[in-house]
Amino acid sequence: MNDTGAIRVGKRSAVVLILATIAGLMMFVWPLLTKVDPSPTQHGSDAPFIFIVILPVLVMIVIAELSEGGMDSKALAILGVLSAVNAALRPTLGAGTAGIESVFFLLVLAGRVFGPGFGFLLGCTSLFASALLTAGVGPWLPFQMICSAWIGLGAGLLPRRVRGTAEIAMLVAYGIFVAYAFGFLMNLWFWPFITHAEVPYYNGGISYIPGAPVSENLHRFTIFTLLTSTGGWDTGRAITNTVAILILGPAVLATLRRTAHRASFGVKGTFRRRRAPAHEKPVH
């Protein structure tokens, strides 16, 4: 059976998705392109606050675009169910403690089956719902939402013809990649604004330098991430994704594909005049 996208992504929705992705990426990297003063309270004032307000607006625009032409009640129901399940899994099996993040493996599998548009929305709604359950609402939430949306989007864009063991291997590799990518981006969210980021076991500088060339700050940030999270939190997240996809992946994929098949996304109902049986034909 061919996977059918639960949400049709038309040309206009694709353009909005691309613009939202570019805008979202700029919200992570803009401190590298200008000069900001490191301050622990920087995200609670002026420019970063504006970005944090704009990001949910962009997400809502994407949702509206996707809902306008390609999202029916069946897709909406499945999105609600999977968002609730994913939100419940996070505080139950791990909400990031020691890198154990149980929210991503279902996001990867659902994005794989239901397509990139559905994966994007599920990433947003899952993180938002789980943040409400875990009291994790804060200025970091929009950044977590857009990162998760990209993870679901990317899962839906993986090659469709890969099946069986090769598919599980591909999803495991993708789960490992997004585990480290998520940590990299979420570190970039706050790194320019922390002061005295140096660590005693590294002689070089890893703090943000206001106004320094992009290459210099990017080099410092990469070392900062390698020293502070790659070997710990990010690796824990990668192991969680790997184990969950290996153990649960085949069964969850089969269940989601059976659901997609029965939902018959994209199939429009037709009305046809019923042919009356011979014994019901009127006699003239």
Side-chain angles (χ1 to χ4, degrees), residues 71 74-85 118 122 125:
M71 189 175 191
K74 294 172 292 186
L76 183 62
I78 294 174
L79 178 65
V81 170
L82 290 180
S83 298
V85 170
F118 187 92
L122 183 62
T125 55

Side-chain angles (χ1 to χ4, degrees), residues 7-21 58-71 117 120 153:
I7 298 176
R8 180 175 57 84
V9 180
K11 292 182 179 179
R12 187 171 64 175
S13 297
V15 171
V16 174
L17 272 174
I18 293 173
L19 293 177
T21 296
L58 291 174
V59 173
M60 292 304 296
I61 291 174
V62 174
I63 292 174
E65 283 292 320
L66 292 174
S67 303
E68 183 180 5
M71 189 175 191
F120 186 92
L153 177 71

Side-chain angles (χ1 to χ4, degrees), residues 126-141:
S126 293
L127 264 291
F128 182 73
S130 66
L132 295 180
L133 291 178
T134 59
V137 178
W140 56 84
L141 179 58

Side-chain angles (χ1 to χ4, degrees), residues 256-271:
L256 295 179
R257 283 185 172 130
R258 188 161 53 247
T259 302
H261 176 68
R262 292 183 176 178
S264 300
F265 297 117
V267 177
K268 296 183 178 179
T270 57
F271 298 94

Side-chain angles (χ1 to χ4, degrees), residues 78-268:
I78 294 174
L79 178 65
V81 170
L82 290 180
S83 298
V85 170
N86 222 8
L89 285 177
R90 196 181 188 196
T92 303
L93 301 180
T97 305
I100 300 175
E101 282 276 10
S102 56
V103 73
F104 294 119
F105 85 94
L106 183 57
L107 175 59
V108 170
L109 298 177
R112 168 68 177 167
V113 173
F114 295 118
F118 187 92
F120 186 92
L121 292 183
L122 183 62
C124 292
T125 55
S126 293
L127 264 291
F128 182 73
S130 66
L132 295 180
L133 291 178
T134 59
V137 178
W140 56 84
L141 179 58
F143 295 92
Q144 290 180 332
M145 289 172 60
I146 194 68
C147 284
S148 299
W150 288 334
I151 291 174
L153 177 71
L157 294 175
L158 293 173
R160 310 300 294 174
R161 294 184 177 180
V162 181
R163 285 293 189 270
T165 304
E167 182 182 32
I168 296 299
M170 178 181 70
L171 294 177
V172 167
Y174 181 72
I176 294 173
F177 169 75
V178 298
Y180 288 103
F182 182 85
F184 186 87
L185 287 175
M186 288 308 298
N187 287 340
L188 185 56
W189 165 72
F190 67 85
W191 173 74
F193 307 108
I194 59 176
T195 56
H196 307 297
E198 311 300 335
V199 291
Y201 48 88
Y202 181 73
N203 294 327
I206 58 174
S207 296
Y208 171 79
I209 300 179
V214 174
S215 58
E216 172 65 19
N217 273 327
L218 197 57
H219 174 71
R220 286 170 167 264
F221 170 69
T222 301
I223 297 176
F224 169 82
T225 296
L226 291 173
L227 294 177
T228 60
S229 72
T230 299
W233 298 82
D234 299 343
T235 299
R237 190 180 302 114
I239 293 174
T240 304
N241 289 347
T242 300
V243 173
I245 293 174
L246 284 175
I247 296 177
L248 302 176
V252 174
L253 282 175
T255 302
L256 295 179
R257 283 185 172 130
R258 188 161 53 247
T259 302
H261 176 68
R262 292 183 176 178
S264 300
F265 297 117
V267 177
K268 296 183 178 179

